[in-house]
């Protein structure tokens, strides 16, 4: 109701009360029969249950809401609508796109964790004179460099087209919304054009999972469960990492 009041320019408590009255069971006479029927159906629906993440940093998602609701609203385990990569291959490949802040990063990875090709378009020269990241300039730089960055990463991996990739992954947040949007829109466009599975990646989980990537020689794998201190800008957290997508937040700062 507060949002409705602000959108309509009404800020007084009286107007909020008026909105509540309009939204109550006393539907105005101007509503059609279809409106009344829809409203009645909406009121008869079971409640959605508690909203678990109120008051938490947006980087915190323990999955309680999904676990609590799937038996009511989602009786079957949800499957990715875009499909899964071909796991019959010894190793499938993923094109990863990252535009969460000020650098455009793209990599081609094998499912065994090896980096086949990568490219980074730095924005240091864009923001240096400002003393920090300017979101609007960062977004424009992402738009300007993302196609070239993807092409360079593919070339380094010995590929000429996204058609040779098995899946496309992209950072969806947390991050600067207008910057994230550039990477997400490009990833969605490529996934649709080449009919590839689309994978949405949590920015902070990706940082944590990097501990398991074979990027050092000799590589000593980090097995689950493990303890992680995640230092990432405004989202510092101490996590118990039990598995992919399975974390216990032991502590954190905003």
């Amino acid at each position: 109701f507060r949002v409705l009041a602000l959108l309509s320019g009404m800020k007084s408590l009286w107007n909020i009360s008026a909105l509540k009255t309009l939204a109550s069971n006393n539907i105005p006479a101007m509503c059609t029969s279809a409106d009344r029927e829809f409203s009645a159906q909406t009121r008869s629906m079971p409640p959605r249950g508690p909203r678990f993440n109120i008051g938490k940093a947006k980087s915190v998602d323990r999955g309680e809401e999904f676990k609590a609701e799937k038996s009511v609203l989602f009786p079957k385990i949800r499957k990715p609508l875009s499909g899964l990569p071909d796991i019959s291959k010894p190793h499938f490949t993923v094109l990863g796109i990252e535009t969460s802040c000020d650098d455009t990063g793209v990599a081609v990875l094998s499912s065994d964790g090896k980096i086949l090709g990568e490219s980074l378009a730095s924005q240091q020269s864009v923001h240096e004179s400002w003393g920090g990241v300017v979101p609007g300039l960062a977004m424009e730089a992402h738009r300007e460099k993302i196609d070239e960055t993807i092409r360079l990463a593919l070339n380094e991996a010995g590929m000429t087209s996204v058609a040779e990739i098995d899946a496309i992954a992209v950072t969806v947040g947390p991050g600067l919304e207008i910057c994230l949007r550039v990477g997400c829109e490009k990833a969605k466009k490529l996934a649709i054009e080449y009919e590839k599975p689309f994978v949405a990646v949590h920015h902070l989980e990706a940082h944590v999972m990097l501990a398991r990537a074979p990027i050092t020689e000799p590589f000593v794998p980090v097995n689950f469960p493990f303890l992680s201190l995640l230092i990432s800008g405004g989202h510092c957290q101490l996590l118990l990492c039990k598995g992919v997508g399975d974390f216990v937040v032991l502590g954190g700062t905003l």
Side-chain angles (χ1 to χ4, degrees), residues 2-14:
R2 292 192 182 100
V3 172
L4 289 173
L6 290 172
L7 288 176
S8 58
M10 298 182 294
K11 300 180 180 180
S12 70
L13 291 176
W14 182 90

Side-chain angles (χ1 to χ4, degrees), residues 19-57:
L19 284 172
K20 289 183 178 180
T21 301
L22 289 175
S24 68
N25 294 341
N26 299 321
I27 303 173
M30 67 182 68
C31 293
T32 65
S33 58
D35 293 331
R36 295 190 185 92
E37 182 179 353
F38 175 78
S39 179
Q41 291 175 353
T42 302
R43 291 197 303 273
S44 64
M45 290 177 64
R48 284 183 56 85
R51 295 173 60 189
F52 293 97
N53 291 327
I54 291 179
K56 297 179 184 176

Side-chain angles (χ1 to χ4, degrees), residues 6 8 19 52 91 122 127 141 148 158 160-161 168 177 199 207 225:
L6 290 172
S8 58
L19 284 172
F52 293 97
H91 300 294
S122 173
H127 305 287
E148 178 186 5
T160 58
S161 170
I168 297 173
E177 191 277 334
V199 182
H207 281 300

Side-chain angles (χ1 to χ4, degrees), residues 97-98 100 170-175 180-181 184 198-203:
I97 298 174
E98 149 65 22
S100 65
V170 62
T171 306
V172 297
L180 289 164
R181 191 189 311 164
C184 289
F198 178 92
V199 182
V201 177
H202 191 289
H203 186 176

Side-chain angles (χ1 to χ4, degrees), residues 183-200:
C184 289
E185 291 300 323
K186 173 58 66 174
K188 287 192 293 183
K189 180 180 178 181
L190 293 174
I192 292 171
E193 179 180 353
Y194 293 96
E195 298 182 345
K196 301 296 181 180
F198 178 92
V199 182

Side-chain angles (χ1 to χ4, degrees), residues 104-126:
T104 308
V106 179
V108 178
L109 297 95
S110 173
S111 57
D112 61 356
K114 295 181 180 178
I115 300 174
L116 305 179
E118 59 181 330
S119 179
L120 180 72
S122 173
Q123 295 184 15
Q124 181 175 348
S125 61
V126 176

Side-chain angles (χ1 to χ4, degrees), residues 109 113 201-215 219 221-226 228 230 239-247:
L109 297 95
V201 177
H202 191 289
H203 186 176
L204 303 185
E205 181 177 15
H207 281 300
V208 174
M209 290 297 104
L210 189 62
R212 292 172 50 81
I215 58 177
F219 173 60
V222 178
N223 297 318
F224 295 116
F226 63 90
S228 173
L230 182 59
L239 305 169
L240 174 60
C241 310
K242 302 167 68 176
V244 177
D246 188 4
F247 301 90

